[in-house]
Amino acid sequence: MNSQAPIDTDEAEPFPRRRTVAVDVGGVLVGGDAPVVVQSMTNTDTADADATVAQVAALARAGSEIVRITVDRDEAARAVPHIRDRLARLGVDVPLVGDFHYIGHKLLADHPACAEALAKYRINPGNVGFKDKKDRQFVAIVETAIRFDKTVRIGVNWGSLDQELLTRLMDENSASARPVSARAVMREAIIRSALLSAELAEETGLARERIILSAKVSNVQDLIAVYRDLSRRTDHALHLGLTEAGMGTKGVVASSAAMGILLQEGIGDTIRVSLTPEPGGDRTREVQVGQELLQTMGFRQFVPVVAACPGCGRTTSTVFQELAERIEGDLRRNMPVWRTRYPGVETLKVAVMGCIVNGPGESKHADIGISLPGTGETPAAPIFVDGKKVATLRGPNIAEDFEAMVQNYIERRFGVAAAPAAAAE
Ligand code: SF4
């Protein structure tokens, strides 16, 4: 084969999505043919209903399709139905997941209104109880899920791995003629914990259509190995996430690297990006990163794309960077309202370019684009709409004028009045 031949476009695709059993989480489908779902978790004290309602609403408006809250004590369990009611009054119907550890069986039994208000219960098999209590308490939660017709996520985490299971597998490995590394045993223990717990849940009577599995670790290579193996061994719907991914850039890169590879291989039905927010930081960032990951890889479209050049020595001003940031911020901020007002607006592509070298070309490929003047160029910014130059902006208000043109374009192309014309195209 000629090494200069172009790559066949069929090769520029992810592997086929791995087939899993579809699971309903309060009306949101996870697995089966459903698109990969983005979810998030609050960091408020659930007993503080005001703070929790505000954060769940913010996460949902940012695009989180499922939100998890901690249910760690009676006060939190008591608050859950009120949180659900108050969200409904705000028009926020995002399904809520309760995160239970150690006393989940008791909290669910003592607070049936909480059990009813939640769409899914998350159980960590390593934190459900010890020795003979372990299975009994796990089964009690599963029975509650059956009674209230709820879904369960069996969420194994390497930091709280079932120590009895790990010790048994370590002992078996030491006695084996061909022992593997301790790290490989740890990975096997994580997978085995998820699969054995799923088996117990199904023996208790919970349908496979009501079970989601996760097996989180904090090391990227281990996470990839664990999920590859897990996906080979079961058709349960899988929740992906790198635990303790960390703060800022490190957390974003680690999560994107690990989950990007797995998603490319068709593995994963729902994702959560576990970022440690900076003090006072915005919790919705984890939703934004999850959406960007799926959108960048071409799996889903959530927000319009702003293509901006990185800048170089041909431009000494930061005008185009500021404009790109401004446009991107506006688009994201407006999306909660625009999703319903302008159906399809998430497919919009805007270009903000820094000079004449790539500016006009990139702008022509966008729905609407601006090519700002580079150093030494005439102080004029040509505007391209649907591939054609339609105007040239000059003067001190270029940014405001371009923003107004973007808004007009959105109204014209995606506004309700535009629907019949668009449909007829
Ligand atoms: S478009 Fe111009 S300013 Fe932007 S990176 Fe390319 S050459 Fe540099």
Side-chain angles (χ1 to χ4, degrees), residues 309-312 314-315 353-355 357-359:
C309 79
C312 70
R314 290 185 64 89
T315 176
M353 300 297 289
C355 84
V357 172
N358 293 321

Side-chain angles (χ1 to χ4, degrees), residues 39-344:
Q39 58 180 288
S40 60
M41 185 173 184
T42 58
N43 62 354
T44 55
D45 176 358
T46 304
D48 181 347
D50 289 348
T52 305
V53 166
Q55 196 173 78
V56 171
L59 290 164
R61 286 181 183 131
S64 183
E65 293 160 302
I66 297 172
V67 177
R68 180 158 51 120
I69 57 178
T70 299
V71 188
D72 57 345
R73 61 194 199 280
D74 287 308
E75 291 82 351
R78 256 195 299 274
V80 170
H82 301 294
I83 291 168
R84 182 69 282 167
D85 288 348
R86 286 177 55 185
L87 286 167
R89 286 201 292 276
L90 291 173
V92 177
D93 60 358
V94 67
L96 293 178
V97 179
D99 197 33
F100 294 98
H101 296 278
Y102 303 113
I103 57 167
H105 62 291
K106 192 169 178 318
L107 291 173
L108 285 167
D110 292 349
H111 300 277
C114 168
E116 178 56 48
L118 295 168
K120 183 173 79 170
Y121 313 150
R122 186 267 173 139
I123 323 174
N124 177 339
N127 282 352
V128 84
F130 300 103
K131 302 207 178 288
D132 55 319
K133 282 187 188 165
K134 189 177 70 183
D135 284 358
R136 216 175 336 119
Q137 294 177 175
F138 178 87
V139 165
I141 298 177
V142 170
E143 284 172 345
T144 306
I146 295 168
R147 193 160 61 253
F148 286 90
D149 195 19
K150 304 293 179 181
T151 289
V152 162
R153 169 159 70 97
I154 295 167
V156 181
N157 189 306
W158 81 299
S160 48
L161 186 54
D162 179 342
Q163 290 304 308
E164 291 163 44
L165 175 64
L166 181 62
T167 308
R168 178 159 62 79
L169 293 186
M170 286 287 184
D171 291 346
E172 282 173 16
N173 185 54
S174 312
S176 149
R178 298 173 64 184
V180 295
S181 70
R183 199 166 144 187
V185 178
M186 189 268 292
R187 290 198 298 265
E188 175 60 21
I190 290 168
I191 294 165
R192 201 82 75 86
S193 176
L195 294 176
L196 288 171
S197 300
E199 212 174 289
L200 180 56
E202 287 183 44
E203 280 167 16
T204 307
L206 190 65
R208 190 164 278 225
E209 291 77 11
R210 283 288 186 207
I211 300 172
I212 296 174
L213 301 184
S214 67
K216 298 190 182 182
V217 297
S218 61
N219 176 283
V220 169
Q221 296 298 343
D222 282 325
L223 191 90
I224 294 167
V226 163
Y227 272 93
R228 277 179 180 158
D229 202 357
L230 185 59
S231 74
R232 272 194 293 268
R233 291 161 69 172
T234 182
D235 64 356
H236 284 100
L238 296 183
H239 164 126
L240 290 190
L242 183 77
T243 192
E244 296 122 30
M247 295 179 90
T249 309
K250 189 233 164 225
V252 172
V253 171
S255 288
S256 305
M259 290 198 270
I261 288 169
L262 290 166
L263 290 166
Q264 181 71 7
E265 294 179 10
I267 299 169
D269 301 300
T270 175
I271 62 169
R272 179 190 167 216
V273 178
S274 310
L275 293 180
T276 308
E278 275 93 23
D282 186 351
R283 190 70 173 177
T284 61
R285 178 119 199 269
E286 65 177 57
V287 179
Q288 190 181 337
V289 174
Q291 288 186 333
E292 293 285 2
L293 174 61
L294 294 176
Q295 180 153 334
T296 302
M297 297 191 69
F299 292 114
R300 292 186 67 184
Q301 202 112 33
F302 297 97
V303 284
V305 172
V306 178
C309 79
C312 70
R314 290 185 64 89
T315 176
T316 46
S317 102
T318 53
V319 174
F320 75 97
Q321 290 159 314
E322 284 157 11
L323 181 58
E325 195 178 17
R326 210 164 132 172
I327 298 279
E328 192 155 340
D330 279 355
L331 294 171
R332 192 167 273 283
R333 223 177 357 268
N334 284 315
M335 272 313 282
V337 175
W338 283 2
R339 250 180 230 119
T340 39
R341 189 180 295 167
Y342 302 119

